[in-house]
Amino acid sequence: NLQSDTKKFFENLSGAGKSIGVLTSGGDAQGMNAAVRAVVRMGIYVGAKVYFVHEGYQGMVDGGDNIEEASWESVSSMLQVGGTVIGSARCKEFRSHEGRLKAAHHLVQRDITNLCVIGGDGSLTGANLFREEWSGLLEELVQQGLIDEKAAQNNSELHIVGMVGSIDNDFCGTDMTIGTDSALHRIIEVVDAIMTTAQSHQRTFVLEVMGRHCGYLALVSALACGADWVLIPEMPPEDGWEEQMCQKLSENRADKKRLNIIIVAEGAIDSHNKPITTDHIKELVVSCLGFDTRVTILGHVQRGGTPSAFDRILASRMGVEAVLALLEASASTPACVVSLCGNQAVRLPLMECVQMTQDVQKAMDEKNFEEAVRLRGRSFENNLNTYKLLSYRKADSELPNSSFNVAVLNVGAPAAGMNAAVRSAVRVGITEGHKMFAVNDGFEGFYKGQIKEIKWGDVGGWTGQGGSILGTKRTLPAKHLDKIAEQIRIHNINALLVIGGFEAFLGVMELSAAREKYNEFCVPMVMVPATVSNNIPGSDLSIGADTALNAITDTCDRIKQSASGTKRRVFIIETMGGYCGYLASVGGLAAGADAVYIYEEPFDIRDLQSNVEHLTEKMKTGIQRGLVLRNENSNENFTTDFIYQLYSEEGKGVFDCRKNVLGHMQQGGAPSPFDRNFGTKIAAKAIQWISRKLKESYKEGRVFANTEDTACLLGMRRRAMVFQPVVQLKDQTDFVHRIPKEQWWLKLRPLMKILAKYKTSYDVSDSGQLEHVTRVRPKKVD
């Protein structure tokens, strides 16, 4: 193993003798508590002292009880709580020199020279100024006789690491800020609820969502619910938009759509920088169309509620990363912010990000909206482009006519978000001029000829539906190649989009292998991963896994809550996933589990014994409950029953046990905002790839595609979406256990153990290196 020499374990990154202060500042956001918990536990783990700074900067300025040493137990039960437990405040005083002087004095008194600030761009800018002034502030304190020379020398450098906690997602340099995903959950819950009432009447709903000067929440929620119209500050509508909007609404009504939804970002403006209000839109719709119209302003609902699984994991990963960044900080390194790029933690210089965030506003003030969108980053840009692609139905006369037929099918088990992917594929396909065909019941329906054309209107309202509307089966094509080939001939199918799990992957492999024998399979085919198990090689994430994680997390929250009445109880919970330990491991991280048993990390009776002892110790503290997760196929002999019985026996007199098998509820439910959005974007990308391949492989009046790169899997790999020939993924697959040979999330396992107080080695070779904010991005490579 080449890596072992280069791995720098953080055992040699000691926090001994260091003190870290953690504060939350500015507007609260769900997931801030998970970040605080991770900073405290990781800090204590590396031997540092960690202090809570209550009430944000105000607490630092006021000192006293506001700065309190944190213990391991003091962050227990925080993970599932929204808002911030240590309090936040907008602090005028810290903006003055006097205020910062007081704050510096209070920190030096406790030897705190490492600050972890969780907040928005204002809070982080303040932290950076504080750091720049630090040596001057210390000199003043010495002159005033408030501290002595020795204290000034011992505390000569202030290190700062930021994490962005903001529901607006308005900070440049990170794809997601802590709290954004949870805010989307609140918005989508409301929209889903409104949709059911609005469908009883013919109604138009105008929804105002938060986001200050940033349209991210409005844009993504519009994508996730298939809104008819969205208004955001980064893309003001062109003059005459009022007529356009009303025309679109009336067309949708004529199309038997009972419901119209218009989403307005609170900072929405027209091209003359004039604000667009919800009331203005309501008046427009009523006067122009006479539709029954209602306005809903979501307000602070969006900030509230329990954090989503995504936010808990993001915040936990960032919190641990922040402590590592503080330990590695030196006088020469700039203050950094820990952020997320794709699926990877990175560190960026704080001021570069702040500068870029301010540039967005500047570009908008100067009406340079294209630049503003570009500066918002690629995640924002992708969302915007996908929305534009899907939102407007052109008249048939305006559409190109490609004369190609593209079939879409679902294969494997149902996964939430499949329908969003199908909807997106159908609409993008129609926009590109193809005729779209839906296949019912996977490859089984394919060989039985359950294939029919599917139109734009047929997929309306599909984004929010769980399960698979097309129907899905685990049948593989190999035994039915003759009949499938015949159906491809009958319907003249020129390309295939297969959305599904491991069987979908195998299916595309079998079809591409059969190309030698059957010309019919010499068409472009692409597979998009959709399975709760997240066990597909070539992709970090699958559609449906996020929804399943939220189901697991919600249930674990309830179970933990039930234990708060009866003390000293340990719950053993079995999750799905086949042999893949993703749901159990990442669910365990999000729910704050004490141990997680998975197939990929073999365990024996000694491990079970040490886990029981660990829980016995835990019961002596103030935290008198435990949570143990077990993946369904983690071990054929150590079954969930066996582990339950072992724990019950060994825990006698100390704790009692309960067990819970979560089962199929992990596959059901309305898709989470992440899955709707991911399904929508990945399917749109897949269809655009199909269009390109169809053009490339069209020769002498027919489509002929038999090269490796025309049978692909589209997956998310670290920072990018990548098309990979399925043949090339063969070597990366363990076919017996239906999992990839290498799985990125195994690196999150030590994180979970550290946060549950186990001694373990944590490989920091994958932790973020300091990079720079890229301004001009290279042209996308396929």
Side-chain angles (χ1 to χ4, degrees):
N1 183 359
L2 284 172
Q3 272 190 319
S4 54
D5 319 319
T6 56
K7 273 186 183 177
K8 49 173 186 157
F9 283 115
F10 76 171
E11 273 79 82
N12 40 17
L13 282 178
S14 163
K18 294 189 174 179
S19 294
I20 299 173
V22 58
L23 72 148
T24 52
S25 168
D28 63 314
Q30 308 95 319
M32 279 183 165
N33 291 322
V36 170
R37 170 182 177 266
V39 170
V40 168
R41 292 197 168 171
M42 185 68 174
I44 292 172
Y45 188 86
V46 297
K49 272 185 171 178
V50 187
Y51 291 86
F52 291 135
V53 180
H54 292 281
E55 311 307 328
Y57 287 120
Q58 192 64 54
M60 207 190 289
V61 172
D62 295 344
D65 295 343
N66 287 308
I67 304 176
E68 162 199 23
E69 191 174 347
S71 69
W72 191 271
E73 281 84 35
S74 62
V75 291
S76 170
S77 313
M78 267 171 85
L79 197 57
Q80 61 268 42
V81 182
T84 162
V85 174
I86 58 174
S88 177
R90 311 244 180 221
C91 175
K92 268 215 178 92
E93 221 178 328
F94 190 75
R95 291 188 181 160
S96 71
H97 184 77
E98 281 312 302
R100 291 193 290 276
L101 191 65
K102 281 186 195 167
H105 185 203
H106 293 138
L107 292 184
V108 172
Q109 283 172 331
R110 296 168 180 81
D111 290 326
I112 300 173
T113 52
N114 295 284
L115 271 190
C116 180
V117 182
I118 307 162
D121 56 0
S123 311
L124 298 181
T125 313
N128 193 63
L129 177 65
F130 192 39
R131 181 191 159 175
E132 285 169 356
E133 291 182 351
W134 186 253
S135 52
L137 293 171
L138 292 193
E139 275 171 36
E140 272 182 71
L141 291 171
V142 172
Q143 282 162 7
Q144 294 179 17
L146 290 169
I147 61 170
D148 56 20
E149 279 291 348
K150 187 161 182 265
Q153 272 164 358
N154 290 347
N155 297 287
S156 61
E157 284 174 26
L158 177 67
H159 300 303
I160 279 171
V161 171
M163 277 184 266
V164 192
S166 154
I167 65 166
D168 305 338
N169 204 22
D170 58 353
F171 192 80
C172 294
T174 185
D175 285 354
M176 286 294 262
T177 57
I178 296 167
T180 306
D181 186 66
S182 302
L184 286 171
H185 271 256
R186 293 305 89 79
I187 295 169
I188 293 305
E189 280 158 21
V190 171
V191 174
D192 284 354
I194 280 177
M195 281 185 152
T196 52
T197 158
Q199 268 156 357
S200 315
H201 312 269
Q202 294 200 9
R203 282 223 170 119
T204 300
F205 268 88
V206 184
L207 261 76
E208 179 183 295
V209 301
M210 278 184 163
R212 244 186 352 177
H213 308 297
C214 177
Y216 186 88
L217 289 180
L219 178 59
V220 174
S221 46
L223 253 182
C225 73
D228 298 81
W229 201 266
V230 66
L231 292 152
I232 57 171
E234 292 86 350
M235 189 187 68
E238 293 159 16
D239 287 349
W241 62 273
E242 294 90 344
E243 290 81 47
Q244 254 186 319
M245 180 181 79
C246 290
Q247 189 191 344
K248 184 172 176 197
L249 296 180
S250 63
E251 276 171 16
N252 282 347
R253 269 297 156 88
D255 220 14
K256 303 206 173 39
K257 190 173 171 191
R258 305 177 64 90
L259 152 76
N260 303 116
I261 286 189
I262 301 166
I263 293 183
V264 189
E266 61 181 350
I269 46 173
D270 65 16
S271 52
H272 309 288
N273 281 12
K274 220 180 92 212
I276 299 176
T277 64
T278 44
D279 288 337
H280 174 55
I281 288 175
K282 178 181 173 170
E283 281 160 24
L284 259 173
V285 176
V286 173
S287 64
C288 175
L289 300 168
F291 288 174
D292 186 355
T293 307
R294 299 279 189 276
V295 170
T296 300
I297 293 174
L298 293 187
H300 279 68
V301 166
Q302 295 159 85
R303 281 198 188 284
T306 180
S308 65
F310 183 96
D311 272 331
R312 298 177 195 199
I313 293 149
L314 175 67
S316 301
R317 281 172 80 176
M318 282 186 170
V320 168
E321 185 70 37
V323 172
L324 295 177
L326 281 171
L327 295 183
E328 292 173 12
S330 68
S332 57
T333 53
C336 79
V337 50
V338 181
S339 69
L340 179 79
C341 181
N343 186 27
Q344 201 179 357
V346 292
R347 299 178 194 172
L348 297 166
L350 187 134
M351 283 327 282
E352 285 185 21
C353 297
V354 168
Q355 185 56 53
M356 197 155 156
T357 305
Q358 288 165 354
D359 289 349
V360 174
Q361 195 51 52
K362 201 170 134 222
M364 278 160 61
D365 293 341
E366 291 166 0
K367 299 193 187 176
N368 188 350
F369 295 106
E370 270 178 29
E371 177 68 359
V373 168
R374 201 180 66 74
L375 289 170
R376 278 265 184 249
R378 53 167 208 169
S379 156
F380 189 91
E381 222 171 351
N382 282 344
N383 283 316
L384 189 56
N385 293 337
T386 311
Y387 181 80
K388 285 178 182 168
L389 206 62
L390 288 168
S391 66
Y392 198 62
R393 178 181 182 173
K394 293 193 179 120
D396 292 345
S397 55
E398 290 175 50
L399 288 173
N401 178 11
S402 74
S403 65
F404 291 125
N405 296 343
V406 180
V408 183
L409 61 160
N410 290 162
V411 176
M418 277 182 162
N419 300 323
V422 173
R423 167 190 179 265
S424 169
V426 167
R427 292 196 169 176
V428 173
I430 290 171
T431 308
E432 308 244 307
H434 312 315
K435 238 188 188 163
M436 298 302 292
F437 286 82
V439 182
N440 294 117
D441 301 336
F443 287 115
E444 190 164 313
F446 209 139
Y447 82 79
K448 290 180 178 167
Q450 300 170 358
I451 305 170
K452 57 175 192 293
E453 191 181 347
I454 186 166
K455 297 274 187 37
W456 185 281
D458 298 337
V459 291
W462 278 30
T463 27
Q465 305 288 322
S468 160
I469 297 173
L470 289 184
T472 176
K473 283 267 194 327
R474 291 183 181 268
T475 315
L476 289 170
K479 292 192 178 92
H480 312 284
L481 292 172
D482 277 354
K483 286 183 171 163
I484 293 176
E486 188 188 357
Q487 290 299 332
I488 289 182
R489 260 200 321 279
I490 292 170
H491 294 94
N492 188 23
I493 303 292
N494 309 114
L496 287 183
L497 169 60
V498 185
I499 300 166
F502 205 82
E503 286 87 1
F505 172 58
L506 294 174
V508 171
M509 252 177 177
E510 290 177 359
L511 291 181
S512 68
R515 281 172 164 178
E516 292 168 15
K517 206 172 152 200
Y518 298 90
N519 272 346
E520 287 83 354
F521 301 137
C522 296
V523 294
M525 45 184 106
V526 60
M527 182 234 154
V528 166
T531 162
V532 298
S533 309
N534 198 23
N535 61 336
I536 307 296
S539 192
D540 285 2
L541 296 170
S542 306
I543 299 167
D546 184 71
T547 306
L549 274 182
N550 278 296
I552 292 167
T553 310
D554 288 348
T555 310
C556 289
D557 285 355
R558 290 183 185 191
I559 285 172
K560 276 166 81 171
Q561 204 171 35
S562 83
S564 65
T566 48
K567 294 282 187 287
R568 303 212 173 145
R569 183 160 281 180
V570 173
F571 283 91
I572 289 129
I573 296 174
E574 181 189 301
T575 65
M576 273 186 158
Y579 283 96
C580 177
Y582 177 82
L583 287 180
S585 296
V586 182
L589 184 59
D594 295 282
V596 176
Y597 302 117
I598 61 170
Y599 162 77
E600 294 89 342
E601 201 173 282
F603 55 99
D604 57 23
I605 196 73
R606 286 173 293 280
D607 296 309
L608 292 172
Q609 181 62 35
S610 81
N611 292 151
V612 171
E613 285 164 13
H614 191 89
L615 282 164
T616 307
E617 281 305 300
K618 186 179 176 182
M619 295 299 157
K620 294 177 185 165
T621 69
I623 317 168
Q624 299 189 342
R625 48 150 205 252
L627 185 65
V628 176
L629 268 56
R630 177 187 173 275
N631 159 266
E632 55 184 0
N633 291 352
S634 54
N635 187 305
E636 58 180 331
N637 294 316
F638 296 149
T639 59
T640 302
D641 280 334
F642 175 87
I643 291 177
Y644 164 68
Q645 287 166 338
L646 176 86
Y647 272 69
S648 298
E649 182 59 37
E650 294 292 314
K652 262 190 190 152
V654 185
F655 56 78
D656 61 353
C657 288
R658 294 287 183 274
K659 70 171 195 286
N660 218 311
V661 175
L662 298 187
H664 278 69
M665 64 143 232
Q666 296 163 84
Q667 268 181 10
S672 65
F674 182 91
D675 279 332
R676 296 177 191 203
N677 197 350
F678 184 48
T680 300
K681 284 199 283 197
I682 196 169
K685 206 172 167 68
I687 291 289
Q688 290 173 316
W689 176 87
I690 281 179
S691 296
R692 271 203 312 280
K693 293 291 172 198
L694 281 169
K695 280 198 190 94
E696 286 167 19
S697 56
Y698 187 71
K699 296 192 179 70
E700 292 161 23
R702 55 172 255 175
V703 171
F704 186 79
N706 66 346
T707 49
E708 278 186 6
D709 66 346
T710 55
C712 279
L713 178 148
L714 170 55
M716 180 178 171
R717 278 253 155 122
R718 287 177 90 91
R719 300 193 186 192
M721 302 271 238
V722 204
F723 289 93
Q724 305 147 95
V726 287
V727 180
Q728 293 175 18
L729 292 171
K730 243 184 192 152
D731 298 340
Q732 301 173 26
T733 312
D734 168 353
F735 288 99
V736 177
H737 298 100
R738 303 161 54 98
I739 52 175
K741 287 179 185 168
E742 281 194 16
Q743 309 194 80
W744 67 272
W745 51 264
L746 282 166
K747 291 200 165 108
L748 298 179
R749 297 265 305 168
L751 217 81
M752 187 205 76
K753 290 177 186 166
I754 287 170
L755 296 175
K757 214 173 186 174
Y758 283 90
K759 286 278 171 253
T760 180
S761 61
Y762 180 55
D763 168 18
V764 293
S765 62
D766 197 45
S767 73
Q769 300 307 307
L770 192 66
E771 304 182 13
H772 291 285
V773 176
T774 45
R775 297 222 151 217
V776 182
R777 288 189 312 288
K779 281 275 169 270
K780 286 201 186 79
V781 285
D782 179 38

